[in-house]
Amino acid sequence: MDSIKILRARRLIDGTGGEPLDYPVVVVKNGRILDLGEESAVKLPRGNTVEELSFMDGTILPGLIDSHLHIALGTRGGYMAMMEESNGIHLITGVVNAEKALAAGVTTIKEAGARDNVAKDLREAWRSGLIKAPRLLISGRPLTVPGGHFHFCNDNQARGLNEVRGRVRQFVEEEVDIIKIMASGGGTVGTNNSEASFTEGELRVAVEESHRLGKTTMAHCEAYDSIGNAARAGVDVLEHCGFILPDGSRGFDDDAANLMAERGLYYNPTLQTGSQRRDALQGKMNRGEKITKDEERILEGLEYKIKRKSENLMRMVGLGVQVVAGSDGIGLGNSAQVIRTMELMVDAGLTPIQAIASATGNGAKAMKMDHLFGTIRV
């Protein structure tokens, strides 16, 4: 028997970036949207099998997409701590995080790096109906240089065009959904987040091979030089874009940003990273509690980071770069932080509608899956 639902609400935000629709009606049959609009323009089905749902104090919008989440990587602490935990603990962390994300309205997760086959095991558990989870699109082990950021994910290092091409083929054979590339150093001990890792040529080969095999690419880009390399190589989504210079300060590369806009590449600022620690320290100060000298230094660094990344986000948008929302959440209990990311995007200067589009329609388009999810349309 067909399942038919009529949904009414105070407003509808469709995820495209367009203006909200007041007092919408949405008709859904067997999980597909048949019609939507103002009630006078919608043909309403009748009969005993029709269920009507009313949310007159609420808003209908697409399920949220977190375009950068380490859903199954460590319980707490930094990279050194997570390296000491077993794959089984990481997998259980992913199960817990998946259900928490779904309960928060996150219905699609772009997994951004995990150890060995943990991410694949989690995805297969979801596909098999063993766990409650959002739609999971995985990158699994990120591609990195020898000793590079996330090398502890194992069997994922390459140097030179042939090795890079071979690794991409390996990951596709292992049935990943997305190819993740570490274009610069990061928080892993022994790496430098102000230095590019792969060359522009190596990144181009990774992108070309990924596209030939039907996969989109995402690249961790903290170093200033890594952003230009990734943009010229045509990486689909540039993550973080810290523009970190050798002296630790943060700049901006107009040429790279203009090229991203021209080529239709996406930008994921991951503004949320560091905000929990910053907010906690600011909260202590607001309550009149003393903070240590080390905490003062940490707070100053985090405030500078979030301020500069917020400024660069608005410069990117001003140049026409499309933005997606990703939390870069890591560890146990941090799987719904994309909501905080959206708040910080608004604090930076985006409109609420732009922030919602970054976590709905834009997120789906960046993965070339907007025909399946991300917007509310027939």
Side-chain angles (χ1 to χ4, degrees):
M1 183 179 295
D2 290 333
S3 171
I4 301 174
K5 293 181 173 65
I6 298 173
L7 287 76
R8 293 181 173 86
R10 173 62 183 85
R11 67 181 60 81
L12 181 146
I13 298 173
D14 65 7
T16 66
E19 289 300 308
L21 173 66
D22 288 331
Y23 302 104
V25 176
V26 181
V27 180
V28 181
K29 180 178 180 181
N30 298 334
R32 289 186 176 273
I33 298 173
L34 292 184
D35 202 358
L36 65 90
E38 296 179 349
E39 185 154 355
S40 60
V42 174
K43 184 178 180 180
L44 296 177
R46 304 296 180 189
N48 294 332
T49 62
V50 177
E51 180 183 6
E52 298 199 25
L53 303 170
S54 181
F55 307 96
M56 298 315 295
D57 292 327
T59 298
I60 298 173
L61 75 162
L64 299 178
I65 301 168
D66 190 332
S67 291
H68 190 126
L69 178 64
H70 300 278
I71 189 171
L73 190 64
T75 56
R76 56 186 60 82
Y79 292 121
M80 295 300 292
M82 71 179 62
M83 288 166 64
E84 295 176 358
E85 296 172 335
S86 70
N87 285 356
I89 291 296
H90 285 196
L91 182 60
I92 293 169
T93 296
V95 172
V96 174
N97 282 343
E99 189 161 358
K100 287 182 179 294
L102 190 61
V106 178
T107 58
T108 299
I109 287 171
K110 188 178 185 182
E111 185 275 329
R115 194 168 58 198
D116 296 320
N117 290 318
V118 171
K120 182 178 178 181
D121 289 342
L122 185 69
R123 184 192 65 189
E124 296 313 300
W126 161 66
R127 285 181 173 175
S128 300
L130 296 175
I131 62 171
K132 292 180 179 179
R135 177 187 291 105
L136 292 172
L137 300 164
I138 68 165
S139 68
R141 298 191 299 274
L143 177 65
T144 192
V145 296
H149 190 36
F150 272 52
H151 67 84
F152 56 80
C153 289
N154 302 323
D155 197 27
N156 62 337
Q157 302 175 53
R159 175 61 83 194
L161 306 185
N162 290 335
E163 287 188 7
V164 166
R165 186 179 292 108
R167 283 295 188 195
V168 170
R169 291 175 181 172
Q170 171 195 335
F171 296 155
V172 173
E173 288 174 359
E174 293 172 353
E175 300 180 341
V176 300
D177 301 300
I178 300 134
I179 300 296
K180 169 79 177 287
I181 309 161
M182 295 302 191
S184 77
T188 304
V189 173
T191 73
N192 188 337
N193 64 6
S194 70
E195 290 183 0
S197 50
F198 288 110
T199 66
E200 179 184 332
E202 289 169 328
L203 291 176
R204 183 173 290 108
V205 164
V207 171
E208 289 173 351
E209 192 67 11
S210 299
H211 288 176
R212 187 183 71 82
L213 296 171
K215 306 298 179 184
T216 59
T217 55
M218 59 191 294
H220 164 102
C221 298
E222 286 286 18
Y224 183 97
D225 289 341
S226 69
I227 298 161
N229 288 344
R232 289 186 294 271
V235 172
D236 297 286
V237 187
L238 280 70
E239 311 287 330
H240 315 306
C241 291
F243 294 102
I244 300 175
L245 295 161
D247 65 0
S249 65
R250 293 172 182 264
F252 189 81
D253 186 341
D254 286 281
D255 290 339
N258 278 310
L259 187 58
M260 289 171 66
E262 178 186 324
R263 293 188 172 182
L265 309 178
Y266 288 82
Y267 161 51
N268 189 348
T270 61
L271 282 184
Q272 181 267 336
T273 56
S275 65
Q276 287 177 298
R277 182 70 165 139
R278 182 202 63 173
D279 295 346
L281 290 172
Q282 287 180 337
K284 286 180 69 172
M285 294 180 65
N286 292 340
R287 293 190 299 270
E289 300 175 20
K290 289 185 178 181
I291 63 174
T292 66
K293 290 293 184 181
D294 280 346
E295 288 176 329
E296 286 181 9
R297 177 183 53 78
I298 291 169
L299 179 59
E300 182 180 358
L302 290 173
E303 287 180 333
Y304 171 74
K305 170 187 173 180
I306 293 171
K307 178 177 183 292
R308 288 307 311 271
K309 289 189 72 172
S310 297
E311 292 169 350
N312 286 346
L313 167 61
M314 298 314 297
R315 291 180 73 175
M316 287 274 208
V317 171
L319 293 172
V321 179
Q322 294 295 307
V323 178
V324 300
S327 66
D328 199 14
I330 202 163
L332 186 63
N334 289 319
S335 56
Q337 292 299 318
V338 72
I339 297 165
R340 180 59 176 144
T341 297
M342 294 162 68
E343 292 175 344
L344 291 168
M345 286 176 160
V346 173
D347 289 346
L350 292 189
T351 67
I353 292 295
Q354 286 175 314
I356 291 170
S358 75
T360 53
N362 275 11
K365 285 191 291 185
M367 290 184 272
K368 303 190 186 305
M369 298 191 76
D370 50 310
H371 59 297
L372 292 178
F373 57 86
T375 55
I376 297 178
R377 56 192 170 100
V378 172

